[in-house]
Amino acid sequence: MNEIKIFSPATVANVACGYDVLGFCLNTIGDEMIIRKVDKKGITITKIEGFNLPFETKLNVAGVSALAMYQALQPDCGFEIEIYKNIKPGSGIGSSAASAVGSVFGMNVLLGKPFNKTELAKFAMKGEALASTCEHADNIAPALFGGFTLVKGLKPLEILQIPSPDNLYATIIHPQIEIKTAESRAILPKEVKLQDAIEQWANVGSFIHSLHTNDYQLMKRSLHDCIVEPHRSKLIPYYNEVKQKTLDAGALGTNISGSGPSIFSLCEGIQTANLVKDAMEKIYSNTGIKFDIHISKINTEGIRIL
Ligand code: ADP
């Protein structure tokens, strides 16, 4: 086999109380990529469709992660990468992570799987660092492993796979406004109050427990973020309204996806997910801000060969 086509999924990171550590994987939105083994050595990006992104290997996250793996293995061949992008860059649902993961996952399959998923995550993190100036795995982990993931630590990299109930759905709205990464970082406090930290780690623990025990009510009581959301939500117009109306429509919790501007709700069942979609739609259709909405079951498989 010299060529494979893959589906590289969108992901939600910074899941409520799990800032920087908790993420989950989506099913209905993702990029497609073709990875091809060729005689000519090196990594070449030969096609990008969907969005305007750099072809130069070192300026594209897919190229940077591919190079990291290529240099580690030094295979006697090269690779061509085609990227069919559906996930808008900068939307906060892991556009860069999908590309970073896609190239290394595909190359690994074509080379006979010399690396496990945690090792692939380390290469993909080199690509992510290009997009966000620091290495992090909160979108990469769910894209590779699927389901909910917890990044237990970066040094050494330890990724935990967390089970989730079958009937859990996410509704995600992407209001098409630009939030500068620098601004969404700068707005965060450097220190947190002990009382807030206690509330936050209690919620992380109970949220993980709710996923293990399929306890939707506990999930609802745990999906809170008293540390990051109060600051970052100010950057997203109509955020408080969306939060209130989606909770009224039955969402278990609503929070910022990644560093925004996307907002996600977790819902029990497709019916509630649809009601939540209607609530989101109603608010933003009156604002003049363009938006996309996605509904997805939790993707427990992660990145896959098509
Ligand atoms: P997201 O959270 O949606 O991944 P980021 O801000 O983390 O958004 O990443 C998007 C940034 O990464 C943009 O500046 C984009 O130009 C850059 N980038 C480089 N290569 C890619 C790629 N293959 N896919 C997506 N973004 C890329």
Side-chain angles (χ1 to χ4, degrees), residues 11 16-17 24 42 47 51 53 60 62 67 69 86 91 93 115 159 166 173 212 229 232 238 251 259 291 297-298 300:
T11 45
C17 44
F24 65 83
K47 201 180 231 185
F51 292 97
L53 289 165
N60 191 303
L67 273 179
M69 178 171 159
N86 296 310
S91 53
I93 51 170
F115 297 110
I159 295 166
D166 255 1
I173 182 163
H212 275 276
E229 186 195 42
R232 283 201 168 162
Y238 308 99
S259 51
F291 59 89
K297 212 174 166 154
I298 306 304
T300 52

Coordinates of all heavy atoms in Angstrom, one line a residue, residues 11 16-17 24 42 47 51 53 60 62 67 69 86 91 93 115 159 166 173 212 229 232 238 251 259 291 297-298 300:
T11 N -12.3 18.5 17.0 CA -12.3 18.1 18.4 C -12.6 19.3 19.2 O -12.4 20.5 18.8 CB -10.9 17.6 18.8 OG1 -9.9 18.5 18.3 CG2 -10.6 16.2 18.3
A16 N -15.1 22.7 29.6 CA -15.6 23.3 30.9 C -14.5 23.3 31.9 O -13.5 24.0 31.8 CB -16.8 22.6 31.3
C17 N -14.7 22.6 33.0 CA -13.7 22.6 34.1 C -12.3 22.0 33.7 O -11.3 22.2 34.4 CB -14.3 21.8 35.3 SG -15.0 20.2 34.8
F24 N -12.7 16.2 23.7 CA -13.5 15.1 23.1 C -13.5 15.2 21.5 O -13.2 16.3 21.0 CB -14.9 14.9 23.7 CG -15.8 16.0 23.5 CD1 -16.6 16.2 22.3 CD2 -16.0 17.0 24.5 CE1 -17.5 17.2 22.1 CE2 -16.9 18.1 24.3 CZ -17.6 18.1 23.1
G42 N 11.8 13.3 1.4 CA 11.3 14.6 2.0 C 9.8 14.6 2.1 O 9.1 13.6 1.7
K47 N -1.4 19.4 -2.3 CA -2.7 19.9 -2.6 C -3.3 20.4 -1.3 O -3.2 19.7 -0.3 CB -3.6 18.8 -3.2 CG -4.8 19.3 -4.0 CD -5.5 18.2 -4.5 CE -5.8 18.3 -6.0 NZ -6.7 17.3 -6.5
F51 N -9.4 25.9 2.3 CA -9.0 27.1 2.9 C -7.6 27.4 2.4 O -6.8 26.6 2.0 CB -9.0 27.1 4.4 CG -10.4 27.0 5.0 CD1 -11.0 25.7 5.3 CD2 -11.2 28.1 5.1 CE1 -12.3 25.7 5.8 CE2 -12.5 28.0 5.6 CZ -13.0 26.8 5.9
L53 N -4.1 28.0 2.9 CA -3.1 27.7 3.9 C -1.7 27.5 3.2 O -1.7 27.2 2.0 CB -3.4 26.4 4.7 CG -4.6 26.5 5.7 CD1 -5.1 25.2 6.1 CD2 -4.2 27.4 6.9
N60 N 3.2 24.8 7.4 CA 1.9 24.2 7.6 C 2.0 23.1 8.7 O 3.0 22.3 8.7 CB 1.6 23.5 6.2 CG 0.1 23.0 6.2 OD1 -0.3 22.2 7.1 ND2 -0.6 23.5 5.3
A62 N 0.6 20.4 9.2 CA 0.7 19.0 8.7 C 2.1 18.7 8.3 O 2.6 17.6 8.5 CB -0.2 18.8 7.5
L67 N 7.4 16.3 9.3 CA 8.9 16.4 9.3 C 9.5 15.8 10.6 O 10.5 15.2 10.6 CB 9.3 17.9 9.2 CG 9.5 18.4 7.8 CD1 9.9 19.9 7.8 CD2 10.5 17.6 7.0
M69 N 8.4 13.5 12.5 CA 8.4 12.0 12.5 C 9.4 11.5 11.4 O 10.1 10.5 11.7 CB 6.9 11.5 12.1 CG 6.8 10.0 11.9 SD 5.1 9.6 11.8 CE 5.3 8.0 11.0
N86 N -12.1 20.9 5.8 CA -13.5 21.3 6.1 C -13.5 22.1 7.4 O -14.5 22.8 7.6 CB -14.3 20.1 6.3 CG -14.4 19.3 5.0 OD1 -14.7 19.9 3.9 ND2 -14.1 18.0 5.0
S91 N -11.2 28.3 14.3 CA -12.6 28.3 14.7 C -12.7 27.7 16.2 O -13.7 27.8 16.8 CB -13.4 27.4 13.8 OG -12.8 26.1 13.6
I93 N -12.2 24.5 17.0 CA -12.5 23.1 17.0 C -11.4 22.2 16.4 O -11.7 21.2 15.7 CB -13.9 22.7 16.4 CG1 -14.1 23.3 15.0 CG2 -15.0 23.2 17.3 CD1 -15.3 22.8 14.3
F115 N 5.1 3.4 15.2 CA 4.9 4.2 16.4 C 3.5 3.9 17.0 O 2.5 3.7 16.2 CB 5.0 5.7 16.1 CG 6.4 6.1 15.6 CD1 6.6 6.5 14.3 CD2 7.4 6.1 16.5 CE1 7.8 6.9 13.9 CE2 8.7 6.5 16.1 CZ 8.9 6.9 14.8
I159 N -1.6 10.2 28.2 CA -2.9 10.5 27.7 C -3.9 9.4 28.2 O -3.6 8.2 28.0 CB -3.0 10.6 26.2 CG1 -2.2 11.8 25.7 CG2 -4.4 10.7 25.7 CD1 -1.8 11.8 24.2
D166 N -23.3 6.2 25.6 CA -23.6 6.1 24.2 C -24.5 7.2 23.6 O -24.4 7.5 22.4 CB -24.5 4.8 24.0 CG -23.6 3.7 23.4 OD1 -22.4 3.9 23.2 OD2 -24.2 2.6 23.2
I173 N -21.7 25.6 17.9 CA -21.9 26.8 17.0 C -20.5 27.5 16.9 O -19.8 27.7 17.8 CB -23.0 27.7 17.6 CG1 -23.2 28.9 16.5 CG2 -22.7 28.3 18.9 CD1 -24.5 29.6 16.7
H212 N -17.7 7.8 33.5 CA -17.5 6.4 33.8 C -18.8 5.7 34.2 O -19.0 4.5 33.9 CB -16.5 6.2 34.9 CG -15.1 6.3 34.5 ND1 -14.5 5.1 34.0 CD2 -14.2 7.3 34.4 CE1 -13.2 5.4 33.7 NE2 -13.0 6.7 33.9
E229 N -13.8 30.5 31.9 CA -15.0 31.0 31.3 C -15.4 32.5 31.6 O -15.7 33.3 30.7 CB -16.2 30.1 31.5 CG -17.5 30.4 30.8 CD -18.7 29.7 31.3 OE1 -18.8 29.6 32.6 OE2 -19.5 29.2 30.5
R232 N -12.9 34.6 29.4 CA -12.9 34.4 27.9 C -14.3 34.6 27.3 O -14.4 35.0 26.1 CB -12.4 33.0 27.5 CG -10.9 32.9 27.6 CD -10.4 31.8 26.8 NE -8.9 31.9 26.7 CZ -8.1 30.9 26.4 NH1 -8.7 29.7 26.1 NH2 -6.8 31.1 26.3
Y238 N -22.8 37.6 22.7 CA -24.0 36.8 23.0 C -23.8 35.5 23.7 O -24.6 34.6 23.8 CB -24.9 36.5 21.7 CG -25.1 37.8 20.9 CD1 -24.4 38.1 19.8 CD2 -26.1 38.7 21.3 CE1 -24.6 39.3 19.1 CE2 -26.3 39.9 20.6 CZ -25.5 40.2 19.5 OH -25.7 41.4 18.8
A251 N -29.7 21.4 27.5 CA -28.3 21.0 27.5 C -27.8 20.6 28.9 O -28.2 21.2 29.9 CB -27.5 22.1 26.9
S259 N -10.2 27.9 22.5 CA -10.1 29.2 23.0 C -11.2 30.1 22.3 O -11.0 31.3 22.2 CB -8.7 29.8 22.8 OG -8.3 29.6 21.5
F291 N -22.7 32.2 11.0 CA -22.3 31.1 11.9 C -22.6 29.7 11.2 O -23.3 29.6 10.3 CB -23.2 31.1 13.2 CG -24.7 31.1 12.9 CD1 -25.3 29.9 12.9 CD2 -25.4 32.2 12.7 CE1 -26.7 29.8 12.6 CE2 -26.8 32.2 12.5 CZ -27.4 31.0 12.4
K297 N -22.5 13.0 17.5 CA -22.3 12.1 18.5 C -20.8 12.1 18.9 O -20.0 12.5 18.1 CB -22.6 10.7 17.9 CG -23.2 9.8 19.0 CD -23.7 8.5 18.4 CE -23.9 7.6 19.6 NZ -24.8 6.6 19.5
I298 N -20.5 11.7 20.1 CA -19.1 11.6 20.5 C -18.4 10.5 19.6 O -18.9 9.4 19.5 CB -18.9 11.2 22.0 CG1 -19.7 12.2 22.9 CG2 -17.4 11.2 22.3 CD1 -19.3 13.7 22.7
T300 N -16.0 7.9 19.1 CA -15.2 7.1 20.0 C -13.9 6.5 19.3 O -13.1 5.9 20.0 CB -16.0 6.0 20.7 OG1 -16.7 5.2 19.7 CG2 -17.0 6.6 21.7

